[in-house]
Amino acid sequence: MSMIDQCPAHCITTILKRLLDREILLNEFELRAWFEVSSINRLLASHLSSQTRLKRIGLPYYYGTPAVVSALGGLPELEVVYPTNLQTERESGRRWELVDGTFTELSSFGFNASLLKATEIFRQRTVSHLRHIHLITPQSDPASAGLMPFLLALISACPQLRALSLNLYQNPATFQAIDFSSLQPLLQCRGIETLEIADRKPMIITEVDVREMATAWPSLRRLDLTPEPIDSVAATVGNPLSLLNQFAASFHTSLETIGLFFRVDRKDLIDHRGFDISSGLRTLVVGSSRITQAHIIPVSAFLGGMCNPGLALKAGRRSWCRAVMDRPTMDGELSNVELWKKAAEAMQEFHAFLRPRLYRMEDVESKIVRAGRDHSWRQITSKSGSGSSHDVAIMESEIEILE
């Protein structure tokens, strides 16, 4: 493996020359650089063409020159191409060509292009061995206008598609929010195991959409649909957290990771709370979904009732999304990420202390649901250490009150 990170052009030139002189054969090569490819284009292409054992390569998205693409296309064992230095302000100006006789072993392909150019790439040929596609669109791309044609071309060219990742950095001036109907062509791919989409606004799905996905993608393991929207959204926008019940009912134990932008509503959680719901969920990505201190107990009880112990609850923005700091509220409350962490702690203690007791109470669920609709749940405070033990104590007292 060779990784070259943030070196100036003359340093990379020296490294490539030494690699060529020593005839070193690599299994993996990754290059991160901010200068234009023109200064090392020929040398880089010459180096890559000699790497007959190369299986994985990461290059800056704008390094896809004809010489480099031609060199990569002739490598007999190359399986993975992925982009580095992900800037989204402009299009790369390069176009990858998946022509016949090239990239014969490629199974995973990541690149930067507008949806229009990406559609043209997959109209060139059938690439039956491609299983994972990762597309990053530039901000100059209206994106949603060309999403359906792109998906139609993709499923035709890649019949063995298993994973699709889309970073749709659309132009704010021409932005159009995508919805589940835009993904309809993808329902024809029965083998989908991973679907990830990043967009400016959150995607809202319905229970009908969940059932359609479960029918079309029985092997789905990871679903990550805009849990971290780039733009700010209204407090009333988001998927209800109770939608997880429909996921559990439709996918049973197959779906392991769900990422959505949620709208947390206490009454919704009480109305849809259930214990001993079968779910194989291991990771719940809530991203930048909003939560308040008043929501911590209902959220932890809801998730604790339907998910197995050890559920990983992930909040905040990940590396592919632009950094946006969580700001404290005016009255000094904990940040959004910290509140989700407290909910996760309370959920784990729910599993450790409360859930075993609930199993021994034959009618506790009906009592909670029946009385909970009109019950005024007490708010926790942040004065007791981590707060999780305090949360559980309140939950226990609340259940006793409801009995």
Side-chain angles (χ1 to χ4, degrees):
M1 173 182 177
S2 177
M3 179 175 176
I4 305 175
D5 192 6
Q6 309 298 351
C7 294
H10 69 275
C11 289
I12 293 181
T13 299
T14 301
I15 293 172
L16 292 176
K17 285 181 178 179
R18 289 181 178 177
L19 288 173
L20 279 171
D21 292 341
R22 296 182 182 183
E23 298 182 350
I24 297 175
L25 295 180
L26 305 171
N27 291 320
E28 183 170 349
F29 181 82
E30 180 175 296
L31 172 63
R32 297 176 182 271
W34 296 110
F35 54 83
E36 289 296 331
V37 67
S38 56
S39 58
I40 63 167
N41 184 42
R42 289 186 179 181
L43 186 58
L44 179 61
S46 178
H47 165 67
L48 293 176
S49 63
S50 69
Q51 296 299 315
T52 55
R53 295 181 184 175
L54 196 66
K55 296 183 181 296
R56 294 174 55 90
I57 184 166
L59 292 174
Y61 68 89
Y62 49 88
Y63 273 35
T65 65
V68 170
V69 173
S70 177
L72 292 177
L75 298 180
E77 298 183 18
L78 186 63
E79 298 175 357
V80 178
V81 174
Y82 61 95
T84 62
N85 304 79
L86 298 182
Q87 288 184 336
T88 61
E89 283 74 17
R90 60 190 178 94
E91 195 168 12
S92 66
R94 317 289 185 186
R95 195 176 98 182
W96 291 81
E97 300 284 346
L98 301 179
V99 298
D100 290 337
T102 65
F103 298 99
T104 55
E105 296 298 320
L106 193 63
S107 62
S108 178
F109 181 35
F111 63 110
N112 172 282
S114 67
L115 282 169
L116 179 61
K117 286 190 176 181
T119 302
E120 294 174 1
I121 289 173
F122 290 107
R123 282 176 177 167
Q124 294 174 18
R125 62 178 275 204
T126 298
V127 196
S128 58
H129 44 277
L130 263 178
R131 294 172 176 265
H132 180 199
I133 300 297
H134 183 189
L135 171 64
I136 304 98
T137 66
Q139 282 193 20
S140 58
D141 191 14
S144 58
L147 182 57
M148 191 169 289
F150 164 72
L151 292 176
L152 288 170
L154 179 64
I155 63 175
S156 176
C158 306
Q160 299 299 317
L161 187 66
R162 295 291 180 269
L164 176 62
S165 302
L166 299 175
N167 291 57
L168 304 177
Y169 293 101
Q170 304 179 50
N171 187 339
T174 58
F175 170 79
Q176 295 179 10
I178 61 173
D179 55 28
F180 187 76
S181 63
S182 305
L183 305 179
Q184 288 296 316
L186 204 57
L187 295 177
Q188 301 175 39
C189 290
R190 299 279 296 173
I192 292 292
E193 298 173 358
T194 296
L195 177 61
E196 301 171 307
I197 298 178
D199 198 12
R200 303 198 71 90
K201 297 289 186 183
M203 182 183 293
I204 308 301
I205 59 176
T206 66
E207 292 185 355
V208 174
D209 298 333
V210 174
R211 290 193 289 269
E212 284 190 23
M213 286 187 281
T215 301
W217 305 325
S219 300
L220 189 66
R221 295 289 180 270
R222 178 182 181 84
L223 182 70
D224 198 314
L225 302 179
T226 66
E228 302 146 50
I230 299 173
D231 295 345
S232 60
V233 295
T236 56
V237 174
N239 296 280
L241 196 60
S242 62
L243 190 64
L244 295 177
N245 280 336
Q246 186 61 58
F247 277 104
S250 299
F251 285 94
H252 303 293
T253 60
S254 62
L255 189 58
E256 298 175 353
T257 299
I258 297 175
L260 288 171
F261 185 83
F262 289 105
R263 171 181 50 80
V264 181
D265 179 86
R266 194 163 61 176
K267 184 178 184 303
D268 172 63
L269 296 181
I270 293 173
D271 288 346
H272 293 87
R273 180 182 298 164
F275 299 100
D276 197 24
I277 297 175
S278 176
S279 172
L281 193 63
R282 295 182 181 179
T283 304
L284 179 63
V285 182
V286 297
S288 53
S289 305
R290 297 182 185 88
I291 186 174
T292 67
Q293 291 197 49
H295 292 143
I296 291 178
I297 294 175
V299 166
S300 59
F302 175 80
L303 294 177
M306 68 165 297
C307 300
N308 295 320
L311 174 72
L313 191 62
K314 296 188 177 182
R317 295 181 182 273
R318 291 163 291 178
S319 59
W320 51 261
C321 199
R322 294 177 180 176
V324 177
M325 297 299 293
D326 282 314
R327 294 180 297 175
T329 56
M330 294 301 292
D331 57 0
E333 288 183 336
L334 298 173
S335 73
N336 208 46
V337 172
E338 290 173 322
L339 288 171
W340 279 111
K341 288 180 179 178
K342 285 178 66 65
E345 291 175 359
M347 179 184 63
Q348 296 307 324
E349 297 211 18
F350 176 95
H351 276 291
F353 300 109
L354 280 183
R355 191 166 182 172
R357 292 175 58 186
L358 294 177
Y359 279 131
R360 293 194 297 269
M361 302 180 206
E362 294 181 354
D363 62 342
V364 70
E365 178 183 345
S366 61
K367 290 179 181 178
I368 289 176
V369 173
R370 186 172 59 253
R373 289 191 179 93
D374 302 315
H375 183 66
S376 178
W377 293 84
R378 283 180 284 170
Q379 237 177 295
I380 69 166
T381 68
S382 57
K383 297 179 180 178
S384 57
S386 66
S388 57
S389 297
H390 183 65
D391 299 347
V392 173
I394 291 180
M395 291 165 65
E396 289 178 330
S397 65
E398 294 290 357
I399 289 177
E400 290 172 1
I401 290 172
L402 292 177
E403 289 187 79

